[in-house]
Amino acid sequence: MNVTRTTPPRPLDVAAVFPQLGPLARPAIRLHPRPGSPSPYDSSIGGPLLWPAHQPWLYCDMWHEGPVAPMLPVAQLYVRDVPLLRPPGRADLLQVLWCPFEHPPEYKPPTKLFWRTSADVTDVLAAPPEPSEVEYDGYVPEPCVLAPEQITEYPDFLELSRELQQQLSDAGAWRAAGVVVDDFYEIAPQEFYGCELSVAPGWKVGGWPPWGLTDPVARFCVACGAAMSPLLTIPSYEWDDAGKSWAPYEDQARAAPGNDSASNPPGVQVSGGNHLQLYVCPKFPGTGHPHTDLIQ
């Protein structure tokens, strides 16, 4: 880790204004990928993986018109850098790979997760196979180093109870609590909550998932039926014009409208500008209980 990024404090403590939100707070770790030259021994986005030379590389197991595609590295996360990870057994490293092609029926890149014990890797694969072609350049992340930062999140507006939704949508409730909502949000103060106070955009581990493309959809483990937990958000940007307040202090000068390179250093574009949310079984992550994913 050789960069630092700091999320500005939220405009207000929303749980102090609406105490019902307090028990719903969750920690999340924003990863803040930035261009760099990570090694296999670093946490990274799009960087080289700590992959044993003797272990076969992963290939996409779905149908392709051409040659079977080797999976591409998306993320490598060491627990020492991202302590919210809950690896199985002795594992201290999560590796995420995907196929650089969208596959039906949901037209998203299939993903594979690999939990690994880094101390067991003594001979690293020097030259992983690369696909002869990819569907979109946005599925080939530029190598980035990380600057993990823990924050607190609250649920997306769509996940809240009807009572809380009504309170957050009532400008009078905000005024009664002494909060002056910006004129931009006066007509729809729930947008203030959604854009500024609840779910952080960008690459992150844990926290609450973003919604909007669909209403919230509960995910359940196909092996044991447990409600699955958000693991990793793979976004198409770290902030947008509506949520520019989430841009770290160190990037404020570059957070101008339309400056896509500043808000998307890895250059990832998921399904036309959406996010890919990965979920795992909280009881048995990486031990035969498969993960799932969802485009939002």
Side-chain angles (χ1 to χ4, degrees):
M1 306 299 101
N2 55 9
V3 294
T4 299
R5 291 295 183 274
T6 309
T7 301
R10 296 302 82 208
L12 57 89
D13 181 357
V14 70
V17 180
F18 299 98
Q20 305 97 310
L21 287 168
L24 303 178
R26 280 185 187 174
I29 293 183
R30 301 188 77 189
L31 299 178
H32 300 306
R34 297 295 181 269
S37 300
S39 79
Y41 303 96
D42 297 318
S43 293
S44 65
I45 300 300
L49 302 184
L50 189 76
W51 197 271
H54 62 80
Q55 181 176 333
W57 191 254
L58 297 180
Y59 285 77
C60 183
D61 52 14
M62 302 186 74
W63 182 82
H64 284 258
E65 288 187 0
V68 177
M71 307 291 276
L72 289 179
V74 177
Q76 174 165 271
L77 305 175
Y78 284 87
V79 174
R80 65 172 186 258
D81 302 318
V82 189
L84 284 186
L85 293 171
R86 296 290 182 265
R90 295 174 49 243
D92 63 347
L93 175 61
L94 171 64
Q95 296 170 329
V96 181
L97 304 90
W98 67 15
C99 173
F101 289 84
E102 294 179 353
H103 288 270
E106 296 176 297
Y107 292 94
K108 59 188 177 185
T111 54
K112 292 185 182 292
L113 306 185
F114 202 95
W115 298 93
R116 190 182 300 286
T117 302
S118 60
D120 293 344
V121 183
T122 57
D123 189 9
V124 180
L125 181 65
E130 297 182 2
S132 56
E133 60 179 330
V134 299
E135 188 166 10
Y136 304 111
D137 290 341
Y139 289 131
V140 185
E142 293 293 328
C144 288
V145 295
L146 307 182
E149 175 200 22
Q150 183 162 321
I151 62 167
T152 298
E153 290 190 335
Y154 297 94
D156 187 287
F157 179 79
L158 295 175
E159 291 211 63
L160 298 175
S161 67
R162 180 67 61 86
E163 178 186 359
L164 258 176
Q165 288 182 349
Q166 291 174 343
Q167 291 183 38
L168 291 169
S169 302
D170 180 4
W174 293 86
R175 287 194 295 269
V179 177
V180 178
V181 178
D182 187 278
D183 291 344
F184 182 78
Y185 296 112
E186 180 67 25
I187 297 177
Q190 70 273 17
E191 296 296 325
F192 176 52
Y193 172 80
C195 293
E196 311 283 353
L197 305 174
S198 56
V199 180
W203 294 80
K204 67 180 183 182
V205 168
W208 286 92
W211 298 100
L213 190 62
T214 70
D215 287 339
V217 180
R219 316 296 286 175
F220 297 97
C221 178
V222 297
C224 71
M228 302 187 83
S229 300
L231 173 67
L232 176 67
T233 300
I234 301 173
S236 295
Y237 52 83
E238 187 166 337
W239 65 82
D240 60 7
D241 293 344
K244 200 170 74 170
S245 75
W246 292 99
Y249 281 127
E250 296 83 358
D251 295 306
Q252 290 283 323
R254 302 170 62 231
N259 189 358
D260 294 339
S261 61
S263 64
N264 186 14
V268 166
Q269 283 290 306
V270 178
S271 186
N274 295 305
H275 308 312
L276 184 65
Q277 183 76 42
L278 304 187
Y279 295 81
V280 290
C281 175
K283 296 182 178 179
F284 305 98
T287 55
H289 289 215
H291 77 287
T292 190
D293 53 34
L294 184 66
I295 290 281
Q296 280 300 304

